[in-house]
Amino acid sequence: MSLNSSSNSGISCSYVTCFYGETATIKVSWMSKNPGRRFFGCRRYGNNGCNLFDWIDKEKTIQEEMKQIFYCQIRHITVQKEDWRAVAKGVKDLNNRLLKGIERERKKIEEIQRKYEHCKKLLKCARNRMYLLVFLLVVSVLCNLFN
């Protein structure tokens, strides 16, 4: 591998040639370990024994490390987002079950209130009948005393 430079109208350009003398192309890594990192690679990589691979930046720059941290944070946020969706669904399901339970209990309370009102009416009716029976008993006793 060799690094060559040329200048044309004041603009300098560097390029890398492989072991076969071909110009290497600049490629971008999108692997999770090196996202967005540029490297030189031969078009024949893996074929005919040419294994040219060389990072353009020999060490990661702060920008690339920030990029990697950024991608990791995005993955982390995505996982958290899914976790929160699951929690929200669980809360919604629990809320629905609680609302149904409250509705069942409200109906039971209404039924008990209806029965209570019915019992009050029956008690009032029974009390009135008892007063009537006591009155008739007193009248009967009085009639027997004066006859």
Side-chain angles (χ1 to χ4, degrees):
M1 172 181 72
S2 66
L3 179 64
N4 299 315
S5 308
S6 65
S7 180
N8 185 10
S9 302
I11 300 172
S12 65
C13 177
S14 297
Y15 60 94
V16 175
T17 56
C18 75
F19 302 108
Y20 293 96
E22 294 187 24
T23 303
T25 58
I26 296 175
K27 300 179 181 189
V28 179
S29 168
W30 291 111
M31 304 300 286
S32 61
K33 190 175 178 183
N34 295 295
R37 193 168 176 195
R38 297 180 312 148
F39 64 93
F40 290 109
C42 180
R43 287 178 285 172
R44 293 185 185 193
Y45 185 82
N47 298 326
N48 301 324
C50 184
N51 294 324
L52 173 66
F53 175 90
D54 194 23
W55 294 112
I56 291 176
D57 54 335
K58 299 301 178 192
E59 296 179 17
K60 284 188 177 181
T61 64
I62 292 175
Q63 179 184 8
E64 288 163 343
E65 287 189 27
M66 296 288 286
K67 227 187 256 188
Q68 186 172 359
I69 291 168
F70 177 73
Y71 288 127
C72 288
Q73 289 299 321
I74 287 174
R75 282 194 301 273
H76 182 68
I77 289 168
T78 302
V79 168
Q80 283 183 335
K81 185 175 167 184
E82 294 302 318
D83 290 347
W84 280 112
R85 282 186 181 155
V87 168
K89 184 183 181 315
V91 168
K92 185 177 178 181
D93 292 345
L94 180 60
N95 187 45
N96 288 338
R97 287 193 343 242
L98 288 172
L99 289 174
K100 287 177 183 176
I102 289 169
E103 184 61 24
R104 278 193 308 271
E105 295 304 314
R106 186 187 62 75
K107 288 179 180 179
K108 287 179 185 177
I109 290 169
E110 287 175 354
E111 181 63 26
I112 290 169
Q113 286 174 334
R114 278 194 297 276
K115 288 179 180 179
Y116 173 73
E117 292 300 321
H118 181 69
C119 287
K120 277 178 40 177
K121 289 177 184 176
L122 290 176
L123 183 61
K124 185 177 180 181
C125 185
R127 191 179 314 127
N128 289 340
R129 285 183 183 169
M130 184 183 73
Y131 292 145
L132 182 59
L133 286 174
V134 169
F135 174 74
L136 290 175
L137 182 62
V138 169
V139 169
S140 174
V141 168
L142 289 175
C143 284
N144 284 336
L145 286 177
F146 292 113
N147 280 336

